[in-house]
Amino acid sequence: MCGIVGAVAQRDVAEILVEGLRRLEYRGYDSAGIATIDQQNLLVSAKRLGKVQELAQALQDSPLSGGTGIAHTRRATHGAPSEVNAHPHLSSGNIAVVHNGIIENHEALRNLLKGFGYEFVSQTDTEVIAHLVHHELKTGDTLLAAVQKTVQQLEGAYGTVVMDSTDKDRIIVARSGSPLVIGYGLGENFIASDMMALLPVTRKFAFLEEGDVAEVTRFDVNVYDINGDSVEREAKEASVNHDSGDKGEYRHYMLKETYEQPTAIRNTLEGRLTGTELNIETFGNGADDIFKNVEHVQIIACGTSYHSGMVARYWLEELAGISCNIEIASEFRYRKSFVPKNSMIVTLSQSGETADTLAALRLAKEIGYTSSLSICNVPGSSLVRESDLSFMTKAGAEIGVASTKAFTTQLVGLLMMTLAIGKHHSMPLVQQESIAKSLLTLPNKLEEVLALASSIEDLAEDFADKQHALFLGRGDQYPIAMEGALKLKEISYIHAEAYAAGELKHGPLALIDAEMPVIVVAPKNDLIEKLKSNVEEVRARGGLMYVFADVDANFLSDDTMKVINVPHCDDIIAPIVYTLPLQLLSYYVAIIKGTDVDQPRNLAKSVTVE
Ligand code: AGP
């Protein structure tokens, strides 16, 4: 989605802002722009269609000076990608605005402002904010008061930043539905839509809450809540590294993040298991009491996070003996659902800012869910702040749009949640210990799986000319097949679908021929013989299969089947183990197809609008 960076400093800030935009590139965008207030108190700006590098080049040719500035990467919603529609948007030569989100009543506001004599140059919804602030300033208000009055008139979602060249030592920021973080420096302060943008200049951050408006100057940050009352938003040291935004030796972030999974899981396990005993307070204060009283779990998520929730349903019902539903957030939020007694809502999200998931959590609280838990990778994100309990996955910054390490660490969090709930239900101690032991073997097991990369790279050649692919799995591997299919379509643009293998005969078998590669995930579990029968169904129809099979499961390569032997692992961790070969397969297919692996077309890393 769009990215925002802003600064109030004594030094020139254009380079800091552009570096911030570079660090937000992974979120997806089509144009970039910047505005600063120069030494003559004039608003100066530059915009470019395309990459941040184009903007950086433009600034090299004509530098912008000034210690107060805002910058933005835009992803078109209202109006095509173009320089004129790129942010910042200006009003009357002194007001500049950047905005993430969508102003739903922009038409009405546009007509109102035209009536006041304002002329619009862009097709964006954002331009109304610039003119509204200018209009409100006419009554002699301060910039802060003018922005407060402006946001009261906006409907929809926004994270917005405003500056005024006649009042150059401050920027005003407002948040409603689109995240904003304040970065604290020494004699300088910053704002951004994602703290990743500011890691080169500060590690101290405070997150704005819904409805907050803040005035940021070089020495002060004053935050006002939705009622206009002065409030404190605690600033904390960030735990992410400055270099999380670097690819290092890897060609793509996705590959780097795939290889980081053993470490990400070690970090996620660290301090949570003492021997085989789970530290339940890692979920938050009072977690044990909440888990004791839970009688039903409703999981809500989108995309890849939804797939991890699907795996968790198998775990919770089979191991913890508690009923569990899983639903896509965008569906849950728009239907009337039945809330069983003592139900907990569990939201899963890498970013913690996915608009549909956040709306679903808010709805769940309204309709009577007793407790809430978020499993998330971004500390301080909205889902974490708005949930009773949280489990932070320690995957580190995930930059590639295609989620990898966030997914596998989420699964670790979900397995720990299963232990925490199971202990109060039907899970015997010996089983709790055995699951904990399996979890501890996981990082090393994943390192063994990553060693299969070159054989998987060879396999990927077969997919270069394919238009479609079918993924099959059974039981808790069915969601892993779905995740494999999502990865392949996201980054290689090959149409891929996943089926529970037992479903083949009910329709998908009609698709099988030599042009339809069939990818099968086959750990040696109690469904392996059933899965082998499904494999025979495909073989009998002339299908060509690619089987990721447990080394002991007796699958042999022949004319109809290429087998990659996966090291044996405990059943419970198999969904995590079998995810990695599928991530590698989609990566290498995308490399052959020459697609933009880290920023696939039409996709954004964090979907903060509906
Ligand atoms: C993952 O590869 C996708 N890019 C996407 O499906 C993602 O998982 C989804 O948008 C949910 O995001 P979240 O985990 O940040 O909520």
Side-chain angles (χ1 to χ4, degrees):
M1 297 276 96
C2 309
I4 288 178
V5 195
V8 193
Q10 199 168 26
R11 52 180 167 160
D12 284 343
V13 293
E15 268 184 33
I16 295 173
L17 299 182
V18 170
E19 174 57 20
L21 293 186
R22 277 207 184 93
R23 296 173 69 89
L24 297 182
E25 279 190 296
Y26 74 97
R27 297 167 72 95
Y29 67 102
D30 50 56
S31 51
I34 181 171
T36 58
I37 302 171
D38 74 7
Q39 275 73 23
Q40 284 74 47
N41 294 350
L42 294 176
L43 204 53
V44 282
S45 67
K47 301 178 186 186
R48 286 294 180 272
L49 190 58
K51 295 287 177 189
V52 171
Q53 183 49 32
E54 309 280 330
L55 181 68
Q57 188 58 53
L59 293 179
Q60 232 169 37
D61 301 341
S62 312
L64 297 187
S65 64
T68 300
I70 54 180
H72 190 261
T73 43
R74 173 177 188 252
R75 189 179 162 82
T77 57
H78 295 67
S82 68
E83 267 178 29
V84 82
N85 286 331
H87 302 205
H89 288 284
L90 312 183
S91 181
S92 311
N94 62 306
I95 300 294
V97 169
V98 292
H99 159 233
N100 287 355
I102 292 173
I103 304 303
E104 285 165 3
N105 60 336
H106 73 103
E107 286 285 357
L109 290 172
R110 186 176 270 255
N111 290 334
L112 179 81
L113 288 158
K114 278 183 180 167
F116 296 148
Y118 287 98
E119 285 178 14
F120 283 78
V121 294
S122 77
Q123 288 83 53
T124 65
D125 52 340
T126 304
E127 200 179 349
V128 300
I129 305 178
H131 294 317
L132 259 185
V133 171
H134 184 268
H135 178 67
E136 294 298 342
L137 275 171
K138 285 179 191 160
T139 58
D141 276 339
T142 60
L143 185 60
L144 172 68
V147 173
Q148 283 172 319
K149 284 184 184 166
T150 296
V151 296
Q152 281 163 14
Q153 299 168 64
L154 304 178
E155 289 167 18
Y158 54 82
T160 190
V161 188
V162 182
M163 63 182 195
D164 176 359
S165 60
T166 66
D167 184 8
K168 73 167 187 176
D169 294 325
R170 71 199 70 245
I171 52 180
I172 310 295
V173 299
R175 174 198 167 140
S176 180
S178 202
L180 282 174
V181 63
I182 310 241
Y184 290 81
L186 286 176
E188 53 188 19
N189 287 314
F190 306 91
I191 60 94
S193 50
D194 179 335
M195 67 177 168
M196 284 294 293
L198 300 178
L199 287 175
V201 285
T202 181
R203 301 183 56 78
K204 195 174 167 197
F205 296 99
F207 292 90
L208 291 185
E209 303 272 342
E210 288 297 280
D212 282 355
V213 177
E215 181 175 46
V216 180
T217 67
R218 278 179 56 206
F219 299 106
D220 276 321
V221 175
N222 295 308
V223 185
Y224 303 88
D225 68 10
I226 199 160
N227 304 312
D229 296 329
S230 178
V231 283
E232 286 293 320
R233 298 294 176 223
E234 192 190 352
K236 290 188 184 154
E237 286 286 318
S239 52
V240 270
N241 293 329
H242 170 191
D243 65 359
S244 320
D246 296 335
K247 280 200 281 267
E249 68 194 79
Y250 293 94
R251 185 166 162 198
H252 292 98
Y253 285 110
M254 183 188 171
L255 191 63
K256 173 177 178 255
E257 289 159 5
T258 299
Y259 274 85
E260 280 173 350
Q261 287 174 107
T263 305
I265 287 175
R266 271 188 200 105
N267 292 342
T268 302
L269 291 172
E270 199 184 317
R272 265 95 182 236
L273 286 176
T274 313
T276 55
E277 196 179 325
L278 176 66
N279 168 15
I280 295 192
E281 293 301 300
T282 194
F283 289 90
N285 292 339
D288 203 32
D289 278 345
I290 291 180
F291 288 138
K292 196 190 315 180
N293 294 320
V294 170
E295 290 177 53
H296 174 75
V297 174
Q298 172 70 57
I299 301 177
I300 297 292
C302 304
T304 286
S305 296
Y306 172 74
H307 296 149
S308 68
M310 283 184 73
V311 176
R313 185 163 71 112
Y314 288 89
W315 289 340
L316 281 167
E317 298 212 335
E318 187 178 327
L319 306 171
I322 186 169
S323 66
C324 173
N325 276 342
I326 157 91
E327 191 162 358
I328 292 167
S330 56
E331 288 297 312
F332 179 85
R333 66 180 286 194
Y334 287 118
R335 75 181 183 90
K336 286 208 169 77
S337 54
F338 174 76
V339 186
K341 191 161 71 77
N342 293 331
S343 294
M344 178 164 75
I345 189 96
V346 176
T347 56
L348 309 175
S349 176
Q350 187 285 130
S351 61
E353 301 292 350
T354 301
D356 285 322
T357 312
L358 194 51
L361 170 64
R362 289 174 183 160
L363 173 72
K365 287 167 144 187
E366 265 169 48
I367 61 177
Y369 279 84
T370 318
S371 54
S372 56
L373 161 69
S374 170
I375 297 185
C376 186
N377 194 40
V378 180
S381 58
S382 303
L383 281 174
V384 171
R385 282 185 283 113
E386 295 189 27
S387 302
D388 302 327
L389 302 177
S390 60
F391 179 95
M392 299 316 304
T393 51
K394 305 262 176 78
E398 191 181 69
I399 308 282
V401 164
S403 188
T404 50
K405 58 180 182 170
F407 176 69
T408 46
T409 52
Q410 255 171 18
L411 285 169
V412 168
L414 285 161
L415 199 43
M416 289 195 182
M417 179 188 83
T418 306
L419 282 174
I421 296 177
K423 142 183 174 204
H424 293 297
H425 292 75
S426 58
M427 194 189 287
L429 183 61
V430 56
Q431 190 173 26
Q432 292 170 40
E433 287 174 353
S434 136
I435 293 172
K437 275 187 194 146
S438 297
L439 268 174
L440 293 169
T441 67
L442 190 52
N444 289 348
K445 195 55 73 181
L446 296 187
E447 269 156 11
E448 290 176 42
V449 175
L450 289 169
L452 300 172
S454 67
S455 339
I456 297 173
E457 189 173 3
D458 292 346
L459 209 67
E461 302 280 344
D462 288 17
F463 290 74
D465 60 342
K466 295 290 185 284
Q467 305 295 321
H468 309 277
L470 204 59
F471 285 71
L472 300 179
R474 293 194 79 127
D476 58 15
Q477 292 290 335
Y478 167 43
I480 301 309
M482 292 176 78
E483 174 58 10
L486 178 65
K487 285 283 93 81
L488 190 69
K489 53 189 151 193
E490 255 186 318
I491 61 167
S492 75
Y493 314 150
I494 292 177
H495 168 233
E497 297 301 334
Y499 279 92
E503 218 14 49
L504 268 181
K505 55 190 171 296
H506 300 293
L509 264 184
L511 296 170
I512 303 297
D513 63 16
E515 289 310 303
M516 172 67 85
V518 179
I519 297 103
V520 185
V521 271
K524 192 166 185 282
N525 57 20
D526 54 6
L527 288 169
I528 190 71
E529 293 310 322
K530 300 277 174 209
L531 185 72
K532 283 184 176 173
S533 306
N534 304 133
V535 162
E536 290 314 316
E537 290 170 337
V538 176
R539 198 198 303 271
R541 274 109 190 145
L544 183 55
M545 285 171 286
Y546 299 86
V547 185
F548 293 95
D550 187 297
V551 64
D552 301 330
N554 292 328
F555 280 91
L556 293 175
S557 294
D558 60 22
D559 299 353
T560 61
M561 187 190 288
K562 290 191 181 178
V563 178
I564 297 273
N565 283 320
V566 179
H568 180 71
C569 63
D570 295 342
D571 280 3
I572 188 69
I573 56 168
I576 306 172
V577 170
Y578 280 76
T579 298
L580 270 63
L582 301 188
Q583 292 169 345
L584 287 168
L585 179 66
S586 63
Y587 175 77
Y588 288 119
V589 174
I591 292 296
I592 292 167
K593 302 211 71 148
T595 54
D596 188 345
V597 171
D598 286 331
Q599 289 169 41
R601 68 185 182 200
N602 307 335
L603 299 180
K605 181 64 184 165
S606 170
V607 187
T608 52
V609 291
E610 219 187 316

